[in-house]
Amino acid sequence: MQAQARGRKARRWIIFGTIAFGAVFLVVGLVLAGQSVSLLNDAERARGTVVGLEWRKDHSSSSRRNRSDDRPAAYPVVEFTPAEGTPTRFRSSTGANPPSYEVGERVEVLYHADSPEDAQINGFASLWLLPLVFGGLGLLTSGIATVVALVTRRRSRPRRSLRTTGP
């Protein structure tokens, strides 16, 4: 009987930890989405040109290097001229293979006037990929763990038997 109670306690802690883990990911996703919305609302806009593609492999694990699908990603290098007039270059934080942009392609750039070197391309992947990944994983993990918690709670409740009383 005691082993069964310990097992239930351990299960509860695992479920609670999973819900908390998912909640942290969900909060990170919401914060990143808030930063994207803030950038869209407050940033200056300029036209930029993709002047190059920086091909990078960002894998430190040697086991991943041996995979056949382990290909480098192309990160666009964009040049634009902010309102102050000094041409600025930046490398996008989002890479893809095949490349999302071609050299010479015109893009809209979002930047803050006080730090134009921290600019971003106004594109779906640049603004919304990380918020969707973190928020989606957090929502999925917390949601599944919550459903498991509710189901196990219902199963562990003692069932009340309906008694019929006779005369």
Side-chain angles (χ1 to χ4, degrees):
M1 193 66 137
Q2 259 186 334
Q4 216 174 20
R6 282 189 198 142
R8 268 191 241 132
K9 274 189 174 180
R11 204 174 309 124
R12 283 183 186 152
W13 278 107
I14 290 169
I15 290 170
F16 174 76
T18 305
I19 291 171
F21 177 79
V24 168
F25 265 61
L26 183 59
V27 167
V28 168
L30 290 172
V31 167
L32 291 171
Q35 288 176 342
S36 291
V37 168
S38 175
L39 183 65
L40 284 168
N41 288 333
D42 302 335
E44 303 286 329
R45 296 169 191 267
R47 296 299 295 166
T49 303
V50 177
V51 294
L53 296 174
E54 186 178 309
W55 291 88
R56 292 185 8 184
K57 272 189 180 181
D58 289 332
H59 306 300
S60 57
S61 169
S62 61
S63 64
R64 290 192 66 178
R65 285 188 199 139
N66 298 331
R67 286 187 180 171
S68 61
D69 65 345
D70 190 20
R71 302 177 302 176
Y75 293 79
V77 177
V78 178
E79 186 174 285
F80 72 102
T81 304
E84 69 181 36
T86 307
T88 304
R89 278 189 184 202
F90 72 94
R91 181 183 51 83
S92 176
S93 59
T94 307
N97 191 350
S100 300
Y101 300 96
E102 295 178 5
V103 174
E105 186 173 345
R106 303 278 294 166
V107 294
E108 184 177 35
V109 176
L110 301 171
Y111 69 96
H112 290 291
D114 55 343
S115 59
E117 65 279 355
D118 294 330
Q120 285 190 10
I121 296 173
N122 186 5
F124 181 80
S126 298
L127 295 173
W128 303 111
L129 184 63
L130 283 178
L132 284 173
V133 168
F134 276 94
L137 284 175
L139 191 61
L140 185 67
T141 304
S142 293
I144 290 172
T146 301
V147 168
V148 169
L150 292 173
V151 168
T152 56
R153 184 174 179 188
R154 279 194 184 141
R155 286 185 183 170
S156 66
R157 280 187 185 167
R159 293 189 178 132
R160 294 182 185 170
S161 61
L162 296 175
R163 293 184 192 169
T164 56
T165 55

